[in-house]
Amino acid sequence: MTALSRGRPHRTSTRGVVSAASAAALVLSGPAFATPAHAEDELPVLGQVKAVSYDDTPETTLDVLISVHGVRRVDGATMVYYSAGYTPESTPGSDRQTLTHAFGFESTISPLHGRGERFGDVAVLDVQSGKAYTTLYSGADMSDLGASDCVCLSWTSALPDEPEPGTAYVGAAAVPPIPDDVDHVSLRVLGHFVTNVPVEDGPMQPEIEPEEPIAVGMGWPEVDTEAIDAVADPAQFVLPLTTHSVTEDSAISEREGADSRSLDLSADVLFAFDKASLTGKAKQEIRTAADRIKETDVSGTITVTGHTDSEGAEDYNQKLSERRAESVAKALTPMLPSGVKLTTEGKGESEPIASNETDAGMDLNRRVTITLPEAT
């Protein structure tokens, strides 16, 4: 398969799912619907999402239909086949880049966080085991990987220069092998969810070499076995899922995985712009966080970590994140049992949980995270 010629990420009005690649965690949100499994002589459509483009105006419609066609076990990987195209009602004449504006790009899923191939940014979600199987990248190790290394069909290859309304074009991506006993999964594909998708065996047929965009009905991209074999460590693309909850009228959101639990406090509520001293409302939010911590009967050391968005100089953001973590820890310490110890650190802009290309994503990245030593 060919890969992405990397371009500038695009803003989107869709509130996407947030993935903290640096923390190897994926956050779940609301699903789309799935359709029944296909008959042998029918074009398989296992789930669909209508994605509303932020380019829509009263005069133009540029909405996109995203379809899932198959999740297939192949040698060394799991293939996800899907398609995207303008709806028949969409206004003709728009380019392929505009089509991608209907995708949920507030975050990518790949451990490459923020550099992932957009059209091939796929995850197979096994909720029962709490794992996400994300797009494979070929390369020696994570530090050597780039956007062009994904084992996927890129949007520059999958979509023509001017996609025709009413025509869907095929995409495909390889993820790590999923266990043999998993027969149904959920998917995150092109920024949207589809649930209860059956897992089948063998590549989709007929296979054709993707020398030009493949319209649905023509065939399916040939599996790139050489690229799959070149993946040094497929296990690094299997991430633990986390659940995510937000309390109404609170600046605190909670993330919980199989062996971890953390609280994210919005820095916009805790601090004034560019400051590290706590606001009046911050003390109530920290007290709420302390109550939640005490409910877990936690003991040991809690880590308080400051984070910023990417605006401003990197060195300045690092120092600001450290000072903000220290301010929260100082206020939190007397609210906790004496057996609980706190340590602080700052990560600056280095560990975003959303894209800094959107205002909503930057809001999420400005936070102080309280990480408990273990889930109880």
Side-chain angles (χ1 to χ4, degrees), residues 14-363:
T14 302
R15 288 300 300 269
V17 173
V18 178
S19 173
S22 56
L26 180 67
V27 179
L28 297 179
S29 185
F33 66 91
T35 59
H38 60 90
E40 288 298 325
D41 58 347
E42 295 177 348
L43 177 72
V45 178
L46 308 180
Q48 288 186 320
V49 181
K50 182 180 179 181
V52 177
S53 175
Y54 69 70
D55 292 314
D56 280 1
T57 70
E59 293 77 29
T60 61
T61 299
L62 297 171
D63 298 340
V64 172
L65 185 66
I66 300 168
S67 301
V68 173
H69 300 288
V71 177
R72 300 295 189 98
R73 290 186 173 92
V74 300
D75 290 342
T78 304
M79 291 299 302
V80 179
Y81 299 89
Y82 49 94
S83 66
Y86 286 121
T87 61
E89 300 79 16
S90 292
T91 306
S94 294
D95 60 23
R96 63 188 176 197
Q97 180 171 312
T98 302
L99 186 149
T100 67
H101 293 184
F103 302 163
F105 282 171
E106 284 199 356
S107 67
T108 55
I109 292 174
S110 164
L112 295 178
H113 192 83
R115 298 191 302 161
E117 143 63 50
R118 302 293 186 173
F119 200 76
D121 190 34
V122 169
V124 172
L125 312 176
D126 180 11
V127 178
Q128 185 171 359
S129 68
K131 294 180 179 179
Y133 299 80
T134 69
T135 304
L136 292 170
Y137 282 69
S138 299
D141 57 57
M142 295 299 291
S143 63
D144 293 335
L145 302 184
S148 63
D149 297 313
C150 78
V151 187
C152 64
L153 192 65
S154 73
W155 68 277
T156 52
S157 298
L159 300 174
D161 291 338
E162 292 188 4
E164 291 289 334
T167 300
Y169 302 91
V170 175
V175 305
I178 61 177
D180 292 339
D181 60 351
V182 175
D183 56 9
H184 283 76
V185 294
S186 296
L187 297 178
R188 184 182 188 272
V189 56
L190 305 185
H192 298 275
F193 282 103
V194 177
T195 63
N196 197 34
V197 178
V199 181
E200 301 172 282
D201 294 325
M204 297 189 73
Q205 301 293 336
E207 285 189 296
I208 58 178
E209 189 172 344
E211 296 179 347
E212 59 184 27
I214 302 171
V216 170
M218 293 174 56
W220 309 98
E222 184 177 14
V223 176
D224 192 341
T225 55
E226 291 186 3
I228 292 173
D229 291 341
V231 178
D233 181 15
Q236 67 186 327
F237 301 100
V238 181
L239 311 181
L241 292 175
T242 65
T243 57
H244 183 245
S245 61
V246 179
T247 301
E248 188 175 0
D249 298 327
S250 175
I252 301 174
S253 60
E254 185 170 334
R255 287 180 284 135
E256 186 168 356
D259 56 0
S260 65
R261 184 178 182 184
S262 61
L263 304 175
D264 289 329
L265 284 69
S266 170
D268 292 346
V269 174
L270 298 178
F271 309 100
F273 175 72
D274 211 26
K275 302 296 182 181
S277 55
L278 295 173
T279 64
K281 184 172 175 55
K283 296 178 181 179
Q284 179 57 47
E285 296 296 338
I286 293 172
R287 186 171 298 280
T288 300
D291 291 341
R292 293 196 195 179
I293 294 170
K294 288 185 285 187
E295 289 173 359
T296 68
D297 294 327
V298 69
S299 61
T301 301
I302 291 174
T303 302
V304 180
T305 307
H307 301 271
T308 70
D309 59 31
S310 60
E311 289 293 315
E314 185 176 349
D315 288 346
Y316 181 85
N317 286 338
Q318 175 63 34
K319 294 176 181 177
L320 178 63
S321 69
E322 293 171 1
R323 289 188 285 118
R324 286 181 166 181
E326 291 168 0
S327 293
V328 171
K330 183 178 179 180
L332 183 61
T333 297
M335 301 179 186
L336 297 177
S338 58
V340 176
K341 305 300 181 184
L342 272 67
T343 184
T344 65
E345 61 182 356
K347 294 293 185 179
E349 61 189 67
S350 67
E351 293 188 357
I353 58 174
S355 171
N356 280 304
E357 293 296 319
T358 68
D359 292 338
M362 294 174 73
D363 289 346

